[in-house]
Amino acid sequence: MKAFESAKLGGIALKNRLAMAPMTTYSGNEDLTPSKEELDYYERRSKDVGMVITAAISVNRHAQAFPRQITLKDDTFVEPVSELVRTIKRHGAKAIAQLHHGGRMNDPSLYENKDDIVSASAVKAPRKGAPTPRAMDVSEIEATIEDFKAATLRAIRAGFDGVELHGANTYLLQQFFSPHSNIRSDAYGGTLKNRLRFIGAIIDGVSETIENHSERPFILGYRFSPEEIEEDGITMQHTKELMKFMKETPVHYVHASLQHYNQSSIRDERNKTPLVVELREALDGKKPLMASGNIRTREDLRHAEKVGYDFFAVGLALLVDSNWADKVEKGVTPNTTFEKDTLPAPLYERMKKNRKRFEEKGYSF
Ligand SMILES: Cc1cc2nc3c(=O)[nH]c(=O)nc-3n(C[C@H](O)[C@H](O)[C@H](O)COP(=O)(O)O)c2cc1C
C-alpha cells in the first residue's frame, strides 16, 4: 500500500506517507515548555509514522489559544523544544513544528488585557463567550510576519525537519483569508488577492528564512480548512483560488483539515462531489495533498489513496491507540478505548469531558 511506502518530501526521505496529525495536548509545563508526560505521549506515537506534526506552537505573545500550549515565542524555548524534537526523531520519524497564531479564537481567560486578542478585523467569532478582537494595524501585521520567521529559525535550531503553517480551523491565517472575519479596507483586506497578502508574506518570509539558515533540506507545509459555515465565510470557490495560489509558492505540501477526508461541501449540501476532487483539480498535480479527517482503518487508508491523496494524517485514531500505524499495517484491528496510561492527564481529562462527541464516533473511555 502506498501509505506504507517510503517517500520524499521537500528533499527529505520519509519512511512512509503517514503523519501524526497536529493535536494540541493542553499539557505543556506551566512555563509553556513541553512536559515529560507530553514527551512520553509523542515517543509512543512517533514510532511507525513518517512524520509527526506537533501540536500547534504559538509564535508570539498574542498567539496562544489554549492553556499550556507550547511555544517558540522567544529564543529561550529552543532548548526545551529541542527535547521534543529528539523524542519524535528517536525512532526515525521526521519532526514538523506546526506554527500557530490563534487570533480571535484565543481563550480570553489567558489574557488579562483583552486588547491583546487581535485579528484581521474587530469581528467576533460567532460562538458563545467569544471576545471581540482588536484589528491589527499594519505595523503589527508586519511584526507578526517577522514572528513567524523568527519561530521558523528557532524550529531550525531546535532540530525540526520542517514547519507547517496553521492556516486552518478558524485561526489567524484563516481569519485573514475569510471574507467573514476580514473586513479590512487596506492592502490586507477586500479582494481575494488582498486577503491572501498576509499568508503570502508569511510563506515568503518563512521560505527565505529556511533558505538563509537551514543547511539541510527543510519541509514547508500549509494547513487549510476549505470551507466556513458562516454565510459570508470561505467557499470552495475561494479555496480553489487558494490552491492555485499555493501552486506558485515554495510550500512542499498542502494539508486539508476536514471532518472526513472524503466529505463533500458543508455549504452546498446538494453538491455531493467530494472536496478532494476539486482540490486535486485546482492543484493540478503541482503540490502533494495531505488528507486528514476520520482515517481509522486500513480500508480508510486504501480509500484515501484511491481518491487521490498523497499523504495521510491520522489524529484521533492514533491518539486513542498509540500502536495504530503498526497494527493497521499488519491488518490488526486498532483499539477504540482511550489509553489513559499513555495520554497526558490534562489531554485525557479534556477528552473525557467531551466524551459524548467521541462516543458518537465509536470511541470509549
Ligand atoms: C485533541 C485534539 C487536538 C487538536 N489540535 C490541533 C492542532 O493543534 N492543530 C491542528 O491543526 N488541528 C488540531 N486538531 C485537529 C486534528 O489535527 C484533525 O484535523 C482532526 O482531529 C480530524 O482528524 P481525525 O479524525 O484523524 O482526528 C486537534 C484534534 C484533536 C482531537
Side-chain angles (χ1 to χ4, degrees):
M1 268 172 81
K2 184 174 156 187
F4 294 106
E5 286 165 15
S6 58
K8 262 199 148 176
L9 186 58
I12 292 186
L14 302 169
K15 65 178 165 194
N16 61 37
R17 290 174 177 268
L18 296 176
M20 178 172 170
M23 285 182 285
T24 294
T25 65
Y26 317 95
S27 305
N29 293 317
E30 224 159 301
D31 63 1
L32 309 183
T33 57
S35 66
K36 172 81 178 60
E37 267 193 301
E38 216 171 7
L39 298 181
D40 289 348
Y41 157 86
Y42 275 107
E43 176 152 15
R44 287 172 190 276
R45 288 163 180 79
S46 305
K47 297 187 307 281
D48 306 309
V49 293
M51 60 201 259
V52 170
I53 306 167
T54 65
I57 298 179
S58 68
V59 298
N60 66 24
R61 73 177 191 88
H62 296 283
Q64 186 183 354
F66 319 104
R68 300 201 176 211
Q69 178 182 356
I70 58 172
T71 186
L72 277 171
K73 66 183 171 187
D74 68 51
D75 290 345
T76 62
F77 290 93
V78 172
E79 182 48 39
V81 168
S82 71
E83 197 167 343
L84 170 62
V85 180
R86 283 193 292 278
T87 303
I88 291 172
K89 293 171 78 159
R90 194 158 293 141
H91 306 290
K94 300 298 176 191
I96 310 295
Q98 189 184 55
L99 301 185
H100 177 232
H101 190 309
R104 70 178 190 174
M105 295 303 284
N106 288 351
D107 178 342
S109 73
L110 299 171
Y111 294 87
E112 243 169 68
N113 184 349
K114 296 299 173 254
D115 249 19
D116 283 341
I117 298 184
V118 297
S119 183
S121 301
V123 178
K124 213 163 102 82
R127 60 168 187 170
K128 232 174 101 192
T132 301
R134 183 173 58 75
M136 293 161 81
D137 64 29
V138 170
S139 68
E140 283 177 291
I141 291 175
E142 288 166 355
T144 304
I145 296 164
E146 292 304 314
D147 292 333
F148 272 90
K149 290 166 62 178
T152 301
L153 180 54
R154 293 179 195 121
I156 293 169
R157 294 198 172 135
F160 278 105
D161 301 294
V163 292
E164 176 177 279
L165 302 174
H166 195 347
N169 305 354
T170 73
Y171 297 114
L172 186 70
L173 274 56
Q174 183 174 329
Q175 289 159 31
F176 267 83
F177 183 53
S178 166
H180 161 76
S181 43
N182 182 346
I183 54 168
R184 300 178 73 93
S185 53
D186 63 3
Y188 291 95
T191 61
L192 186 118
K193 191 171 166 213
N194 282 356
R195 286 185 279 113
L196 276 169
R197 195 177 303 280
F198 180 54
I199 294 169
I202 292 174
I203 292 174
D204 287 347
V206 163
S207 168
E208 198 185 286
T209 303
I210 295 168
E211 221 163 274
N212 293 341
H213 296 280
S214 184
E215 284 159 6
R216 50 202 164 83
F218 194 85
I219 296 169
L220 171 56
Y222 191 85
R223 192 169 213 219
F224 67 99
S225 296
E227 294 183 308
E228 288 177 335
I229 45 172
E230 290 84 17
E231 179 83 32
D232 50 353
I234 296 169
T235 67
M236 268 310 277
Q237 224 34 52
H238 299 135
T239 294
K240 284 194 261 183
E241 292 303 318
L242 176 69
M243 295 300 99
K244 288 182 194 156
F245 178 80
M246 287 297 158
K247 278 198 310 198
E248 309 304 324
T249 68
V251 302
H252 297 114
Y253 72 93
V254 288
H255 182 179
S257 178
L258 294 166
Q259 289 291 323
H260 192 288
Y261 67 91
N262 202 40
Q263 77 183 57
S264 51
S265 176
I266 55 169
R267 294 180 64 92
D268 176 8
E269 289 179 350
R270 285 162 314 163
N271 184 352
K272 298 293 177 207
T273 314
L275 298 183
V276 57
V277 173
E278 294 184 70
L279 295 174
R280 269 170 50 85
E281 217 172 78
L283 286 168
D284 194 23
K286 299 288 194 308
K287 300 283 172 185
L289 179 60
M290 186 179 287
S292 70
N294 215 35
I295 297 176
R296 294 172 60 167
T297 63
R298 193 176 168 90
E299 291 67 43
D300 293 338
L301 264 184
R302 204 186 287 281
H303 186 232
E305 287 178 359
K306 199 172 132 212
V307 296
Y309 286 107
D310 305 290
F311 292 90
F312 312 89
V314 180
L316 261 185
L318 183 57
L319 183 148
V320 170
D321 186 338
S322 53
N323 293 308
W324 184 88
D326 185 47
K327 287 185 183 169
V328 167
E329 183 169 17
K330 292 178 177 150
V332 176
T333 307
N335 296 335
T336 50
T337 303
F338 281 84
E339 282 174 8
K340 186 174 183 199
D341 294 348
T342 76
L343 291 168
L347 176 58
Y348 179 77
E349 291 309 324
R350 191 138 178 153
M351 311 296 287
K352 211 167 155 192
K353 215 170 118 196
N354 298 309
R355 62 187 306 155
K356 240 179 118 190
R357 198 175 118 205
F358 301 111
E359 283 168 353
E360 274 166 12
K361 293 185 178 203
Y363 292 109
S364 54
F365 288 85

